[in-house]
Amino acid sequence: MVMARDKKPVSFSFNNTERCQSRCITCNGWKTPASVMQEELTIDEWKKILFNLHNWMGNYQFIISGGEPFLRDDVFEMAQYASDLGDTVNIVTNGLALPDKLDKVLHSAFTNITFSLNSVQNPQIHNISRGRDDAFQRTMDSIQNLNYMNKYRTGHKWKNIFLSTVVMPSNLSELRPIAEFCKVEGISVSYQLMDNGDAFSTAVDTDKQIYGTDIKTAALKAIDEMIELKNEGYPICNGYSQLKAFKLLIDTPEEIQTLPCSVGENNFAIDPYGNCRICFCMKPIGNLKNNLPQDLWYSKEADEVREHILKCTMNCRLLNCNFK
């Protein structure tokens, strides 16, 4: 699949580190060896990449993720540099590093700040999913304190605050309370379905929790409730088509393959070492330390990955960063 020269990516995700204080059951980034993490891009290397991207794209919007991006103090410098170029910078955080950085965040160049949170009523659900006993309280404190400061302090650019909730068999009863919490706080939520449909249709035993055999029925009911809440005006960012696709994955997963995957045409991701991907799950198309982004986007290597994407049967096409 050869990319037309006038076609550019529309979704940008830049991972500035794989370092993280969490030990999430849904992520393996924190398992990266320390020797590899030492090869992260420097701030000057990031600035060079951002400059080259801006020259190609003009003003565009991207998100910084991790790992935990706030574990790099120069993330603020990275965001300010991009903002000064005219670009819009968003960030995803677990909130654990923020208690002593809230004022700095408030006056930073970030426009949207997304917190990962998997429960609001039962702290243990979030703690187990994040692999830390203190994760819920620290993250919740960061969310509520930043939101209060955002509303009532003057002299800063308004921040849009979001939650990102992974929908798992263990937290189906939390989905409504999370939406209600967001409505009260005046923030929004995006639900992210685990891309393994089997988690909702079979019994799965793990060290940390046991999913019942009737989880499929409960999950379908929970997603129907999410659709109802959205109809009632609750601040749910997911579109109806995506919520319906969630049901499809749980109920008839084989039909997911009929949904097109557009990551090869839309997505541009950079890892902490400068490697560029158009699909998170496939090989890099090159490294941006010594290459221009447009050269990689239109490269033979990128076209080869796009051909693989056309044949791919993975369920990650429903992830929020992929689904269009």
Side-chain angles (χ1 to χ4, degrees):
M1 177 182 173
V2 179
M3 181 58 60
R5 299 297 295 189
D6 62 344
K7 173 69 175 178
K8 295 181 179 181
V10 296
S11 180
F12 295 85
S13 177
F14 305 158
N15 182 342
N16 73 334
T17 185
E18 289 182 298
R19 285 176 278 161
C20 192
Q21 321 95 315
S22 297
R23 297 294 180 263
C24 298
I25 61 176
T26 54
C27 176
N28 292 317
W30 55 269
K31 298 178 183 178
T32 303
S35 58
V36 175
M37 294 186 190
Q38 291 176 359
E39 301 300 318
E40 290 177 354
L41 296 171
T42 66
I43 185 60
D44 288 335
E45 288 171 327
W46 270 115
K47 286 180 177 179
K48 177 183 175 183
I49 291 171
L50 293 172
F51 180 82
N52 289 337
L53 275 164
H54 182 82
N55 276 354
W56 176 40
M57 293 296 303
N59 294 345
Y60 72 107
Q61 181 173 182
F62 68 89
I63 191 164
I64 301 176
S65 62
E68 171 46 46
F70 282 112
L71 287 182
R72 284 190 60 154
D73 290 335
D74 59 12
V75 69
F76 294 98
E77 184 178 351
M78 178 182 173
Q80 189 61 57
Y81 179 81
S83 179
D84 289 343
L85 289 174
D87 304 323
T88 301
V89 190
N90 306 319
I91 194 164
V92 177
T93 176
N94 60 29
L96 298 177
L98 291 190
D100 60 344
K101 297 180 180 180
L102 291 179
D103 193 67
K104 194 171 183 179
V105 171
L106 198 67
H107 292 88
S108 69
F110 299 112
T111 298
N112 297 342
I113 301 172
T114 299
F115 290 88
S116 300
L117 188 70
N118 294 333
S119 66
V120 293
Q121 289 191 334
N122 185 342
Q124 190 68 1
I125 290 175
H126 182 75
N127 289 341
I128 289 175
S129 69
R130 297 294 165 182
R132 286 181 59 123
D133 292 338
D134 62 346
F136 174 82
Q137 195 59 58
R138 289 174 63 86
T139 300
M140 183 62 79
D141 286 347
S142 293
I143 293 168
Q144 292 185 305
N145 289 338
L146 183 65
N147 193 35
Y148 179 87
M149 294 165 66
N150 195 36
K151 290 178 178 177
Y152 300 112
R153 282 201 182 177
T154 59
H156 70 278
K157 182 180 178 182
W158 178 265
K159 310 298 180 186
N160 299 310
I161 300 176
F162 298 87
L163 300 187
S164 177
T165 297
V166 178
V167 179
M168 306 173 291
S170 58
N171 74 341
L172 295 175
S173 63
E174 291 281 329
L175 303 184
R176 171 182 277 276
I178 288 171
E180 292 173 341
F181 170 79
C182 288
K183 189 173 183 178
V184 170
E185 291 287 326
I187 61 180
S188 301
V189 60
S190 290
Y191 294 108
Q192 179 81 68
L193 188 70
M194 286 183 70
D195 62 350
N196 176 12
D198 289 343
F200 294 93
S201 58
T202 61
V204 180
D205 296 335
T206 71
D207 294 343
K208 304 214 168 112
Q209 51 197 335
I210 299 176
Y211 306 151
T213 54
D214 60 347
I215 202 67
K216 176 178 176 179
T217 300
L220 291 172
K221 181 179 178 181
I223 295 172
D224 279 334
E225 186 171 40
M226 289 159 62
I227 293 173
E228 291 175 7
L229 290 170
K230 187 173 177 68
N231 282 332
E232 294 171 12
Y234 281 78
I236 296 173
C237 296
N238 306 78
Y240 290 106
S241 59
Q242 188 185 24
L243 294 175
K244 291 176 181 177
F246 286 175
K247 291 187 65 178
L248 199 65
L249 175 60
I250 294 169
D251 197 25
T252 51
E254 64 278 2
E255 293 187 33
I256 287 297
Q257 311 314 320
T258 66
L259 299 177
C261 183
S262 59
V263 296
E265 301 177 15
N266 293 329
N267 290 24
F268 195 95
I270 307 171
D271 73 13
Y273 319 105
N275 298 308
C276 176
R277 288 177 173 82
I278 54 178
C279 171
F280 289 115
C281 301
M282 296 189 181
K283 66 180 182 179
I285 59 174
N287 193 287
L288 288 165
K289 283 185 179 181
N290 298 304
N291 292 281
L292 293 173
Q294 59 267 42
D295 290 344
L296 298 185
W297 179 253
Y298 299 116
S299 67
K300 176 184 176 182
E301 290 77 9
D303 290 337
E304 290 175 353
V305 172
R306 292 184 182 106
E307 290 295 334
H308 285 293
I309 290 171
L310 291 175
K311 304 171 186 176
C312 181
T313 59
M314 294 178 67
N315 296 324
C316 48
R317 66 192 66 203
L318 297 190
L319 296 179
N320 293 349
C321 51
N322 295 342
F323 190 84
K324 299 292 181 292

